[in-house]
């Protein structure tokens, strides 16, 4: 596993340790992390602070030329909201830790030319599987059920 997926997993673990949902993300530009984040909906009482959205927020304002040369790593398949942000900012490649516990908008991303790679990483699968089993109500809230 590469260092960037490890960083996304570390973010997910941090979110879990804070009492939140274990989803992490990093945005990488030319081999350097420019934004990292984790799901903070619980911690911040936020309706939109998914892991990818938190990473975008922490990356801050960047020229389109930067975002169009980035790779976004996320521990879980991105939902419609996060996929919209990926498209809006022109991220060309997304690497996903796993999509078995939740299948997001991968087809939408691919239909718009985004390269999508799914790792089915065992650590990501275990993090989400254990969380969903322990906190099904919170998980359903997070995905809008």
């Amino acid at each position: 596993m590469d260092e960037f997926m490890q960083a996304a997993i570390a973010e997910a673990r941090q979110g879990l340790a804070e009492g939140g949902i274990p989803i992490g993300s990093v945005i990488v530009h030319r081999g350097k992390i420019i934004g990292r984040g984790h799901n903070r909906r619980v911690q911040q009482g936020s309706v939109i602070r998914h892991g990818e959205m938190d990473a975008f927020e922490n990356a801050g304002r960047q020229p389109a030329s930067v975002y169009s040369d980035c790779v976004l790593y996320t521990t879980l398949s991105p939902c419609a909201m996060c996929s919209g942000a990926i498209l809006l900012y022109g991220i060309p490649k997304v690497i996903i830790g796993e999509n078995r516990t939740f299948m997001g908008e991968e087809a939408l991303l691919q239909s718009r030319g985004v390269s999508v790679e799914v790792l089915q990483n065992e650590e990501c699968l275990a993090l989400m599987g254990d969380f969903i089993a322990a906190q099904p109500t919170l998980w359903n809230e997070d995905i809008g059920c």
Side-chain angles (χ1 to χ4, degrees):
M1 174 178 20
D2 74 32
E3 65 182 293
F4 302 122
M5 184 53 68
Q6 289 174 351
I9 291 170
E11 286 290 329
R13 290 195 175 285
Q14 182 177 344
L16 184 62
E18 294 171 357
I21 299 166
I23 303 168
S25 182
V26 297
I27 300 171
V28 178
H29 180 254
R30 297 185 181 172
K32 180 179 181 246
I33 295 174
I34 63 167
R36 60 176 62 232
H38 53 274
N39 187 303
R40 294 180 197 252
R41 290 187 68 251
V42 172
Q43 301 91 311
Q44 294 185 351
S46 172
V47 69
I48 62 166
R49 211 63 182 250
H50 283 189
E52 299 91 338
M53 302 300 279
D54 194 45
F56 274 116
E57 183 68 18
N58 292 325
R61 289 180 61 196
Q62 300 290 333
S65 61
V66 170
Y67 280 128
S68 68
D69 193 26
C70 285
V71 178
L72 184 141
Y73 289 74
T74 181
T75 58
L76 186 66
S77 185
C79 73
M81 175 178 66
C82 297
S83 293
I86 290 164
L87 294 173
L88 178 66
Y89 292 107
I91 302 288
K93 183 172 185 175
V94 176
I95 299 178
I96 299 167
E98 66 99 352
N99 66 2
R100 291 184 190 151
T101 59
F102 176 77
M103 171 60 80
E105 298 296 328
E106 296 170 29
L108 171 64
L109 292 172
Q110 291 170 322
S111 77
R112 299 281 297 273
V114 176
S115 171
V116 175
E117 181 180 340
V118 182
L119 304 177
Q120 301 305 5
N121 176 278
E122 292 300 323
E123 192 171 358
C124 294
L125 284 159
L127 269 170
M128 283 311 301
D130 293 348
F131 178 79
I132 292 168
Q135 300 274 355
T137 302
L138 182 55
W139 170 241
N140 286 333
E141 174 191 321
D142 194 64
I143 59 170
C145 291

